[in-house]
Amino acid sequence: MIVQTAEELGALIRRRRKSQGLTIEELASVVPCSPRLLSELERGKRGVSITMLLQLMALIGLELDLYGREEYPDRRRR
C-alpha cells in the first residue's frame, strides 16, 4: 500500500489497531504516549517523531518500506 498523507497513515494505524482488538488506551500505554496523542495521530491531526512512529508500527505489525520512484517506476502514486 502506498500512503501519501498523514490522514492515510493514521487510518491505516487505526484499522490495524482495531483489527488486533486493541483500544487506544491499551496501545498508548505500550508505546508509551498519551491516548489523546495517539487519537490525534490516527486522525492525521498530529505528528510524532519518526522514532515513536517506527516503534508504534512495529508494535502493531506494520513495516515501513522506502522505494525511489526511479528504482520502481511501476509503483505509481494514486
Side-chain angles (χ1 to χ4, degrees):
M1 166 181 270
I2 296 176
V3 174
Q4 295 180 321
T5 67
E7 290 81 9
E8 290 174 345
L9 179 58
L12 177 62
I13 290 170
R14 182 184 315 107
R15 282 192 307 272
R16 180 58 74 109
R17 174 182 60 77
K18 287 184 173 189
S19 75
Q20 294 179 359
L22 295 169
T23 66
I24 284 181
E25 292 78 13
E26 289 169 333
L27 184 56
S29 71
V30 178
V31 170
C33 69
S34 72
R36 181 177 178 167
L37 183 135
L38 185 53
S39 174
E40 290 175 356
L41 173 67
E42 287 185 353
R43 290 181 285 127
K45 303 298 180 193
R46 177 88 183 253
V48 295
S49 72
I50 190 68
T51 301
M52 181 180 283
L53 180 60
L54 291 172
Q55 180 183 13
L56 172 62
M57 290 175 65
L59 287 168
I60 59 175
L62 293 174
E63 294 180 350
L64 176 66
D65 292 322
L66 301 174
Y67 298 98
R69 284 186 292 236
E70 66 281 354
E71 297 171 296
Y72 297 92
D74 59 321
R75 295 179 78 75
R76 299 189 195 282
R77 291 184 156 198
R78 290 184 259 151

